[in-house]
Amino acid sequence: MRNLNVSQARKELPSLIDEVASGKRGVLVTRRGKPVARIVPFRKKDKQANAYPLRGKPIGISKDFDEPLPGLWDALRT
């Protein structure tokens, strides 16, 4: 990764973008010797598995959903 200070990066920005886009390497931009930004190639994200697989599907609730479970209170007392 190439290191440049802010003023150098400002002067060379078009060529930096071409360099990064070609995939050669990224660029670390520094201010007073401390890193402040990194310029890296843009990559499209791979299509991930659906993060919300149940979205849009019907939901059914059992008729006895709110009935107490048999033996629940006995289990909680012990």
Side-chain angles (χ1 to χ4, degrees):
M1 185 166 288
R2 187 171 158 195
N3 293 339
L4 293 174
N5 65 33
V6 174
S7 61
Q8 289 173 321
R10 187 178 298 130
K11 290 176 189 174
E12 299 179 28
L13 186 60
S15 63
L16 287 176
I17 291 174
D18 291 340
E19 182 180 323
V20 170
S22 70
K24 290 183 182 175
R25 58 184 173 178
V27 176
L28 182 65
V29 181
T30 61
R31 179 179 289 146
R32 296 184 189 107
K34 294 182 181 178
V36 293
R38 184 177 357 180
I39 303 173
V40 294
F42 177 77
R43 294 185 190 150
K44 287 186 178 180
K45 290 184 178 181
D46 294 334
K47 287 194 173 187
Q48 298 175 353
N50 188 358
Y52 304 100
L54 300 178
R55 181 173 280 172
K57 299 206 177 202
I59 297 174
I61 298 176
S62 176
K63 291 181 181 180
D64 63 350
F65 172 77
D66 58 349
E67 297 293 323
L69 295 173
L72 174 65
W73 295 112
D74 295 332
L76 293 175
R77 287 186 191 138
T78 57

